[in-house]
Amino acid sequence: GEIILPKIHDSDIPTTIVYDNLLDAIDYNGCEVKRAMGGLTIYSDQDCTLKCLAPNQDNYASLNDYSAIIKVEYGEFEAIFMGDAEDDLEDELANLNVNLQADVLKVAHHGSATATSYNILNKVKPEYAIISVNEDNEYGHPHSQMLKRLTDMGIPYYITYETGNIVYSLDTQTII
């Protein structure tokens, strides 16, 4: 019954059919729209918490930097989902006084060159990285520069176009 979306300037609102379909689905289903913003707890019970870490301001140069960055905590397990964040939002996030360490990092912006910086990798220190991207996409993602950053830091990564669905099993603490 709820959907969480960032607040963006009217001039930045997408004009795509996909965005129009999203708005139609929200209206059709009578969903309440909540603002995605750092500090928002999306869900919490005794075992699991979902927190929104960003966005934290109302004025980003790139539409991608309005992405909701979500941290999942389930017992001892933690994962961060970076959305389409780019350098500016990553730097902002890295400079906040929040715990960014996580077992799994879903890399930002499908592995673009302008995301998943050394700065954010040093803060998150993930055991694994996941890259969600289609093969032979028009942007050339994942970019070799971003893959080099993961390799340089010794972070094993999995790419959806190579492996298909990626599942992290908490019982065995492995990726399958």
Side-chain angles (χ1 to χ4, degrees), residues 15-36:
T15 58
T16 65
I17 189 71
V18 172
Y19 189 73
D20 288 342
N21 288 343
L22 171 65
L23 295 178
D24 289 344
I26 291 169
D27 186 50
Y28 178 80
N29 290 291
C31 294
E32 176 187 348
V33 178
K34 266 192 171 170
R35 181 179 177 190

Side-chain angles (χ1 to χ4, degrees), residues 42-63:
I42 299 166
Y43 175 84
S44 185
D45 68 17
Q46 66 185 31
D47 298 319
C48 182
T49 303
L50 277 73
K51 297 177 185 175
C52 190
L53 303 178
N56 291 292
Q57 58 177 306
D58 293 331
N59 191 21
Y60 292 101
S62 168
L63 185 59

Side-chain angles (χ1 to χ4, degrees), residues 82-132:
M82 295 293 294
D84 275 350
E86 295 185 68
D87 294 343
D88 288 343
L89 182 56
E90 285 187 356
D91 288 344
E92 174 189 305
L93 185 63
N95 291 320
L96 292 177
N97 189 22
V98 295
N99 176 12
L100 295 178
Q101 290 189 355
D103 303 290
V104 174
L105 175 69
K106 193 296 227 163
V107 304
H109 202 188
H110 311 282
S112 82
T114 60
T116 315
S117 64
Y118 285 114
N119 191 18
I120 202 73
L121 290 171
N122 278 316
K123 293 286 186 169
V124 177
K125 297 180 170 95
E127 292 179 41
Y128 301 99
I130 296 171
I131 305 163
S132 178

